[in-house]
Amino acid sequence: MPSTRELRLRIRSIKNLAQVTKALETVSASKVRRAVQANKATQPYSEKAWKVLVHLARQPGHNSLHPLLAERKLDGRVLVVMISSDRGLAGSYNVNILRETLEYFREFEYPISYVAVGRKGRDLLIRRRKDVIADFSNLPTPLAFNDVSAIGRLVVDDFLADKFDAIYVASTRFINMVKQTPEISQLLPLRVTYGEDHDPATTHATKSVFTYEPDQNELLSEIVPRFTALQIYQAILSSQASEHAARMVAMRNATDNVKDLVGSLQLEYNKLRQSMITSDMLDIAGGANALAQD
Amino acid sequence: MPIRCEIVSQDRIVYSGDADMVILPGGDGVMGILPHHTPLLTVLQYGIIRVREGSQESVFTVAGGVAEVQPDQVTVLADAAENINEINLQRAEEARVRAEQALKAGAGKDTDSYLKIQAALKRSNLRIDAARRYKRAR
């Protein structure tokens, strides 16, 4: 049976903890808003970029246009870019993306390497003795496109050097405040099709051949890697929004739990205090009785 | 028939509307795009985009990027772009001075920071040029 002093201390320390989680929740809430905004801001650019790419890919003989566009036979190694967070306390956010990734690639008979974006994911992968070839942790916030171009370059170079036959990106798609789903998509070779929500008014049915300036090869080696980096950029932005949302929800739950916990501890404390007072009273009454009899 | 023109940078839509003619700083030189142009894909240099519609002309700076031309539309994917009217000349000049000083202070060549400063310098020079040339006319 704990003493009243101990109980009092425990209640106080739990209340302090609640202040911390409450603060984290508030901070995360504003971060989600900013991350979602950043994500939305890049949407027009990537939509247009994607459209250009689709037009390109519909050209006759696109398989030979650029090696990044050409489908390969999968008989070698696979690289997965896994996006997680640098910090913990985000509920099951990091575990979810890891579980989804491992599950997705369990059936693969080819060796799989990983590029970890985010410290938590890297640690989880290393603990499971996965092959992590590169680690991009502590990315700056707000994230600029230039910050991820290094990841894009690494991925494209390794792909072109035939080190890998396919490259995937595992990220968490932000749907709303309470729902974020882990998602795995193929990055390279680029699978070029229209998204579900494209606007038919701005797409072109013509299959006429492009004129290129300066020349086809130079141009394609300029833009195709850039679009790859763009996709990674968007995946990271979406994941960051998810991370903050997940943290916010986790922290809100923690704050709510504190209320329950403090309630039950307070009850215990009050019971203890009451029983102490009762026994004190009995003692005094007993003492007074004994004196009166003398 | 007008041509649809859209200029987007990585973080926003800079311009979207119809135009009679679009003038772009293409990879091999400045080109004017009229409606019914043959499909074209080009890289963009640092320079100025002019969008003409009737007697109106809007001027934009562009810091590199890609442009796709279709018979009835021009899509500019700019690394960075802004309307000339958004340029704050004083700030651009301050930025130029800062960049020049930083270069003099001697960042090592071919390092990331050197390239970054150089790009910043290029950008502010472009802004200043554009603002001086086109703003006064208005």
Side-chain angles (χ1 to χ4, degrees), chain B residues 2-106:
Chain B
I3 186 165
R4 175 127 195 111
C5 176
E6 277 167 337
I7 302 175
V8 287
S9 69
Q10 261 146 25
D11 49 357
R12 68 202 174 111
I13 299 175
V14 181
Y15 177 84
S16 168
D18 290 335
D20 295 324
M21 179 173 174
V22 183
I23 299 168
L24 304 166
D28 291 344
V30 176
M31 52 178 133
I33 310 287
L34 292 169
H36 303 297
H37 197 284
T38 180
L40 168 82
L41 208 55
T42 178
V43 294
L44 293 178
Q45 296 176 344
Y46 277 65
I48 286 161
I49 300 178
R50 288 191 280 160
V51 181
R52 257 184 221 159
E53 195 200 351
S55 57
Q56 296 252 337
E57 190 180 59
S58 319
V59 184
F60 304 89
T61 60
V62 60
V66 188
E68 184 208 25
V69 177
Q70 293 280 0
D72 58 352
Q73 83 178 92
V74 177
T75 311
V76 175
L77 302 169
D79 289 354
E82 62 186 340
N83 193 316
I84 212 110
N85 297 323
E86 294 166 12
I87 294 176
N88 183 333
L89 194 58
Q90 197 185 345
R91 251 181 52 196
E93 260 162 28
E94 277 164 18
R96 167 153 78 177
V97 172
R98 256 204 320 276
E100 273 168 354
Q101 273 168 357
L103 278 189
K104 252 185 230 148

Side-chain angles (χ1 to χ4, degrees), chain A residues 40-293:
Chain A
K40 274 212 182 104
T42 60
Q43 222 110 66
Y45 183 89
S46 62
E47 250 166 49
K48 299 269 183 299
W50 190 245
K51 217 171 61 191
V52 171
L53 209 58
V54 172
H55 290 162
L56 254 180
R58 260 197 326 207
Q59 309 247 306
H62 74 267
N63 251 352
S64 54
L65 270 182
H66 196 272
L68 291 181
L69 295 172
E71 194 72 37
R72 296 184 187 182
K73 226 176 76 198
L74 190 65
D75 57 358
R77 296 162 59 88
V78 174
L79 181 68
V80 182
V81 180
M82 195 180 90
I83 298 163
S84 60
S85 69
D86 283 326
R87 298 178 192 196
L89 292 181
S92 53
Y93 169 77
N94 287 310
V95 180
N96 277 349
I97 186 70
L98 180 81
R99 193 188 304 138
E100 179 75 14
T101 312
L102 295 182
E103 185 70 22
Y104 189 91
F105 291 105
R106 195 161 53 189
E107 305 284 302
F108 271 53
E109 49 201 302
Y110 310 109
I112 294 165
S113 301
Y114 291 89
V115 169
V117 178
R119 203 163 51 82
K120 287 285 165 186
R122 178 198 65 192
D123 293 348
L124 285 169
L125 285 171
I126 288 173
R127 203 173 307 149
R128 281 164 202 248
R129 299 181 190 286
K130 300 291 178 191
D131 176 29
V132 178
I133 63 163
D135 155 38
F136 294 89
S137 298
N138 297 322
L139 289 172
T141 45
L143 190 70
F145 181 67
N146 289 341
D147 299 324
V148 299
S149 56
I151 307 175
R153 211 174 317 142
L154 171 100
V155 166
V156 168
D157 286 351
D158 277 0
F159 183 76
L160 289 180
D162 274 337
K163 277 194 207 157
F164 302 102
D165 283 335
I167 291 167
Y168 291 82
V169 59
S171 62
T172 311
R173 183 206 281 262
F174 178 87
I175 295 170
N176 56 37
M177 280 306 202
V178 284
K179 193 166 162 69
Q180 304 94 31
T181 46
E183 198 176 63
I184 288 152
S185 55
Q186 182 176 332
L187 197 63
L188 289 175
L190 276 169
R191 283 230 179 105
V192 190
T193 46
Y194 279 121
E196 303 116 28
D197 47 354
H198 80 276
D199 177 9
T202 58
T203 54
H204 287 262
T206 55
K207 293 199 178 155
S208 48
V209 179
F210 274 113
T211 317
Y212 299 92
E213 200 172 315
D215 65 55
Q216 181 172 320
N217 262 337
E218 205 173 311
L219 192 91
L220 287 174
S221 350
E222 164 86 12
I223 63 174
V224 179
R226 191 193 300 224
F227 289 165
T228 311
L230 186 69
Q231 276 181 292
I232 298 176
Y233 179 56
Q234 279 219 305
I236 294 179
L237 282 182
S238 184
S239 297
Q240 278 183 345
S242 306
E243 173 199 339
H244 294 310
R247 178 167 302 124
M248 195 187 95
V249 171
M251 288 302 113
R252 179 178 299 160
N253 287 342
T255 314
D256 289 349
N257 285 345
V258 163
K259 278 188 203 126
D260 295 349
L261 201 56
V262 167
S264 69
L265 279 177
Q266 191 75 47
L267 184 68
E268 202 177 318
Y269 169 80
N270 287 348
K271 272 187 189 157
L272 195 62
R273 180 166 164 274
Q274 192 185 11
S275 75
M276 271 170 66
I277 290 170
T278 312
S279 68
D280 280 357
M281 292 289 283
L282 284 175
D283 278 355
I284 292 169
N289 266 345
L291 284 174
Q293 274 171 11

